[in-house]
Amino acid sequence: MLRQHISRRRFLATTATTAAITIVPSNVLGGARHTPPSEILTAGLIGCGGQGGEDLNTYIKAPGGDYKLLAACDVDETRLANARKKFGEHVELYTDWRRLIERNDIDVISIATPPHWHALMCIAAAQAGKDILCEKPMTRFIAEGRAVVTAVKRYGRVFQIGTSGRFGAYKSSRSRRIHKIMRSGLLKHCPAVYIHRGGFPVLRYCGKVNLKPERVPAHLDWDMYCGPSPLRPYHPHRFGGSHRFYWDYEGGSLADFAQHYVDPFQWIYGKDDTSPVEVEACAAPAHPDACGVWAWVELKYAEGLTLVLDGNEWGPRYDRKEPRHVELSDLDEESRKKVEAMPDPEPLLWFAEAVKMRKEAGGHVEASHRAVTIAHLANIAIRLGRKIRYDPVKEEIIGDEAANRLVYQPMREPWHV
Amino acid sequence: MSISEQIKNLIGQIPGPDEGGSYANLDMNNIKQIEKVVVQLHKGGRNSALGLIDMLVEPGKGDDIKARFALHLLAVHITRKGSEQARSEFARAVASQVGGDRPKAIQIYLIEQLQLAGTKEVAATLGKALLDRELCDPAARALTSIRDGAAEQLLSALPNVHERQRLSVINSLAVLRAAQAADAFRQALRDPDPDTRIAAAWGIARIADASAAEVLLKCAEAHRGWERINQTDACLALAENLVAAGKRSKAAAIYTYLQRTRTELSERHVYETAERGMMTAR
């Protein structure tokens, strides 16, 4: 029987205090500009490419916390060698992320691989009792997200997605007011139209349709790279940043950027626990492998709120509706008074604080899943070239069985969600 | 003009990719043109599908960009509401080309189209493909997407497949929550391959097989590292599913066992999860 619940950090705190009797280094008790070792998070990094390590700095170090990187993993040995130079000799290197997950001395897993791996790694990290920093986009398809939410909640882990737009939104009094109006439940029909225009590299994020197979470089474990996605013949364009331009690994400019742009919208409009019910896209017919061009996507919520993602790089500009925010004047006088009397929402917690307090981080798992669902729904409408209707509770597309085959996409063995 | 020439002419109207190899060059006029081509292919029915398939080549062995694109667009087109007959005809036409002498890379592409547009009528063809080492995993995934009739094909293939193929089949049965695979899952818990054991444990959890709880707990207990993490998760998922099915005492037994055995600091999160779970099982 476990007599007492002692966390690894509390355990370290106890032993550190004991050690202080004889040593008393200045940092043990957390003097000025020092984080006590009991509060230094130990971290493992999966994916040592461009974003590798960035989330640890943004979500732990920048807000005043500290971490020590113990392990790093990548399927590319060249990147691992670079990681050694960047992070130091003490960092243990792995080519199979499962070995890193097994370690008992890691508090936080930072995931910066291509997105087709994100869900599996998040789930495994939660199962192993780690807290999670996951690069955006959180997942590659909708059902993965629900599986991540289940795992994170099952084990009571802290999760933060690698985008922070909502933290900025919280600072705006107008955003907080809209948030309160929406969360009050007093607005029966929402007339707002939120248009995010531009910022999607639509043309640059098109995949190639003429890839000729090439020899796999000796430093790369291509089978492990493909992982849960189909094992395609190797081509360098499927790897190293341009992986984003293929459905197997991500989903083009929409998948790569929408989570950034939707994150503040979703918080402002109180949509962290639901999804749009109707999605329509203007796009070119989609290739089965390579992502292509799109003009705009219109997504409607059940109570009338409209979200538009306008690529603004290709095709016609979205002109069905004009942008419009929700205002207090949309409410009757009695409702207005009630909203004005509402306290501000609780401040959003940065990851390091959330870990310390064992509370939900600002970019928590359900919010993140719902945000990336928007990108996935948009891409499903694009891939099928038709309007879709979505049930945000069952998380299924209504009356379109083929579309649901993109909501859940079976993985290559041995992987599953 | 022969049918193949007609199809060749039709897909000739689809623009080629730009110099960089992408379709970033398409404009709204091109799109209208492509849509017209797809409608014509749709009208061509089975012959269109077979004609396009004949134009496919192995990756790197020629230019089949337009045929490949057109076959996929046709597959998407016939999944629209009201195209049920065309869908069935398309699926049967594509399935008729799986299992023959065509290069495996082409057959895999065809199976991927069935994964999107296939119906229960092609389940038997995919069932046969499970027996082929290279086609097995794509076929298992296609069956999983089709769902209707899939579990029967997977179960029927199971005695004749080994190693990675066996893993694909067990994994897909687990995805499908195939209750009729309960015995197969229990057997696979003793498989020499750890990935197969993990997939089987997951299957047991998903079908909420209370009778396998004890063997699953023992299996989780017997391993370390990655497998223990996964098997333990399956135990917890099984308990949750048993609670949802109203079998609270069975779930409570799992939670009690995990609380008794997960006493190391490194498994504190499991202990706590079981503790929380126990509240729901009472």
Side-chain angles (χ1 to χ4, degrees), chain A residues 71-104:
Chain A
C73 176
D74 205 288
V75 291
D76 181 349
E77 287 176 5
T78 309
R79 286 185 175 186
L80 274 183
N82 291 336
R84 167 79 78 207
K85 284 181 204 155
K86 184 175 173 185
F87 300 119
E89 290 293 322
H90 70 282
V91 174
E92 190 128 5
L93 303 178
Y94 299 85
T95 52
D96 185 337
W97 61 274
R98 291 171 289 194
R99 302 293 83 81
L100 186 150
I101 290 280
E102 288 171 339
R103 285 181 61 149
N104 292 332

Side-chain angles (χ1 to χ4, degrees), chain A residues 329-345:
Chain A
S329 56
D330 291 318
L331 297 167
D332 59 45
E333 199 180 332
E334 194 185 340
S335 300
R336 254 199 314 270
K337 282 179 187 163
K338 281 184 186 168
V339 169
E340 280 168 341
M342 281 170 71
D344 266 350

Side-chain angles (χ1 to χ4, degrees), chain A residues 137-143 145-146 166 194-196 200 247 250-281 294 296-302 305-310 365-383 388 390 392 395 397 406-407:
Chain A
M138 176 182 162
T139 53
R140 195 178 68 82
F141 57 86
I142 294 172
R146 183 49 57 202
R166 62 180 49 217
Y194 187 101
I195 301 181
H196 183 93
F200 293 96
W247 301 117
E250 187 159 343
S253 56
L254 252 168
D256 200 45
F257 284 85
Q259 187 136 25
H260 277 317
Y261 305 145
V262 162
D263 183 61
F265 153 81
Q266 204 176 254
W267 182 81
I268 294 168
Y269 277 90
K271 296 295 173 198
D272 277 350
D273 54 2
T274 189
S275 298
V277 295
E278 209 175 276
V279 186
E280 198 174 350
W294 58 280
W296 50 259
V297 186
E298 181 187 71
L299 305 105
K300 291 180 186 160
Y301 286 82
L305 170 64
T306 302
L307 166 67
V308 177
L309 302 172
D310 185 341
V365 69
E366 179 75 32
S368 174
H369 163 55
R370 293 293 183 169
V372 76
T373 292
I374 288 170
H376 294 325
L377 287 172
N379 270 335
I380 291 172
I382 288 171
R383 292 179 78 174
I388 54 173
Y390 189 64
E395 298 190 293
I397 290 163
L406 298 175
V407 171

Side-chain angles (χ1 to χ4, degrees), chain A residues 127 154-155 209 314 401 416, chain B residues 21 26 87 171 233 240 269:
Chain A
Q127 290 171 347
R154 177 177 294 153
Y155 291 99
V209 299
W314 176 91
E401 178 265 340
H416 54 242
Chain B
L26 294 180
R87 182 173 177 178
N171 205 25
D233 184 68
E240 284 172 19
H269 62 291

Side-chain angles (χ1 to χ4, degrees), chain B residues 40-56:
Chain B
Q40 288 302 310
L41 289 170
H42 182 191
K43 283 182 185 161
R46 179 182 170 84
N47 285 338
S48 290
L50 294 177
L52 290 170
I53 291 168
D54 276 339
M55 291 176 196
L56 299 180

